[in-house]
Amino acid sequence: MGNTQGNGTWQRCAFHLMQPEARSYELSYPRTGAMPQSPFAEPESYRFDPSSGIPGTRHGFNTESTSGNIGGQGTQLDGLGHFAYLPEAWSGEGEFPAEALQYYGGFTQEDVKPGPDAPLARLGLENLPPIVSSAVLLDAAAYFNDGEPLAAGDLISRNDIEAMIEAQGLAWRGLLPGDVLYIHTGWGEHWDGEDSRYYTQGPGLAYDTMAWLEEQAIVLVALDNPFTDPAPEGMLTGEAIPDGVPDGLPFAIHHHNLTQSGIYQIQNARLADLAADQVWTSCTMILPALTQGAAQAPVRPVAIGTPASR
């Protein structure tokens, strides 16, 4: 869906930039060694070096180093090469049959990742154009739960999305091709503090949203949770699966977005401020790190829109 980006989405963006009361919203979390860490990625850590200089000069400078799975931690974007699928479920016995994987566009493992340690030869994030488009924010926490976070495993269905569009006064426009869809579930409240639930469970999109969002031709969907998929308690340990997903595809939202419809995803979006100000439509700009052959990347999305009158 990156092909939706261009003059049309830029013009829709420009409307929001021109509004005299518009303000900017930071939609990413600061990256620190203390942020919640994904169980699916190597922990991210930081080293901050002592101030140093260059002999014979008056210069001084500071540097830092980052290690770990940077693309899979914090506010991050999933590219199309992040997910693939097998013709049938793997039993877990023997070596993983990577050679049988299939990707978006019908590409094979040999097409996309020709060697175990190779970068992506196709579907890498260097192919993603800058996303500069209009965005729609739907506040599921307010609509369903009086502003409180949705519960782990809660599903946001197609009917729910259409109802929120209506309730927030957006039926006149709906979702337009090239839009970014932000959904505030309130799960971001668990990002800070001692709450260990953040990366173990959470609410997410129901599987019946997928074909419909593909029809709307949105370019990207982002929730304030780590999975986009619903994660009922016990899912990550194999003790539970979300309702309504196809057999063998517990992460069915990832599967459909990244291998079928070509819709990008952001995980761990910071949406509380945008929701608090009821900025239902905005201009959003999304620019992931342009690492050739990467499947994921840290990203700093921003939105520029006008707060509702109080």
Side-chain angles (χ1 to χ4, degrees):
M1 295 300 183
N3 292 322
T4 60
Q5 300 301 288
N7 288 332
T9 62
W10 302 342
Q11 289 172 27
R12 298 203 304 261
C13 236
F15 168 81
H16 298 283
L17 301 178
M18 294 167 60
Q19 301 311 304
E21 302 300 321
R23 55 163 291 191
S24 64
Y25 293 83
E26 179 66 66
L27 305 185
S28 62
Y29 290 104
R31 306 183 73 86
T32 74
M35 68 186 180
Q37 300 280 344
S38 168
F40 297 104
E42 181 182 342
E44 186 171 326
S45 61
Y46 296 83
R47 186 193 74 210
F48 296 90
D49 301 321
S51 299
S52 58
I54 303 173
T57 78
R58 297 168 61 190
H59 298 303
F61 56 89
N62 294 296
T63 59
E64 58 278 328
S65 300
T66 306
S67 63
N69 188 328
I70 300 170
Q73 302 282 10
T75 304
Q76 49 95 190
L77 184 144
D78 288 341
L80 301 185
H82 174 49
F83 247 56
Y85 63 97
L86 295 168
E88 57 186 34
W90 175 47
S91 68
E93 298 178 359
E95 290 189 11
F96 178 68
E99 69 283 353
L101 286 172
Q102 300 175 37
Y103 291 81
Y104 178 77
F107 293 119
T108 66
Q109 178 74 352
E110 185 177 358
D111 295 328
V112 174
K113 194 171 176 66
D117 300 322
L120 302 185
R122 292 181 180 269
L123 305 180
L125 280 174
E126 72 275 13
N127 298 302
L128 174 64
I131 295 177
V132 179
S133 187
S134 48
V136 169
L137 171 72
L138 299 179
D139 192 351
Y143 184 79
F144 292 109
N145 219 18
D146 294 326
E148 294 299 313
L150 301 186
D154 278 356
L155 301 176
I156 300 168
S157 70
R158 168 184 171 171
N159 287 342
D160 295 334
I161 290 176
E162 291 182 302
M164 285 188 284
I165 289 172
E166 178 77 28
Q168 293 180 200
L170 300 174
W172 63 275
R173 77 178 301 284
L175 296 177
L176 301 175
D179 270 351
V180 170
L181 176 60
Y182 293 121
I183 300 180
H184 175 245
T185 71
W187 198 253
E189 289 190 11
H190 303 305
W191 176 267
D192 295 316
E194 301 299 321
D195 195 328
S196 61
R197 287 179 295 170
Y198 184 82
Y199 253 118
T200 64
Q201 52 193 275
L205 296 178
Y207 189 61
D208 73 352
T209 61
M210 290 295 92
W212 184 74
L213 289 177
E214 183 178 355
E215 290 173 7
Q216 311 313 302
I218 65 169
V219 64
L220 180 145
V221 62
L223 276 65
D224 55 343
N225 75 358
F227 304 121
T228 310
D229 289 86
E233 186 175 2
M235 175 179 163
L236 299 193
T237 57
E239 300 168 42
I241 58 172
D243 292 333
V245 300
D247 290 343
L249 294 172
F251 289 98
I253 307 305
H254 271 70
H255 167 74
H256 196 94
N257 282 339
L258 303 179
T259 73
Q260 305 300 304
S261 65
I263 294 173
Y264 294 87
Q265 299 182 157
I266 286 177
Q267 268 98 52
N268 309 316
R270 184 182 178 185
L271 301 177
D273 292 342
L274 206 62
D277 284 352
Q278 297 182 5
V279 183
W280 304 147
T281 60
S282 63
C283 168
T284 194
M285 301 180 189
I286 299 170
L287 301 170
L290 201 63
T291 304
Q292 185 165 337
Q296 299 173 286
V299 67
R300 186 185 180 186
V302 297
I304 299 173
T306 303
S309 300
R310 297 290 184 179

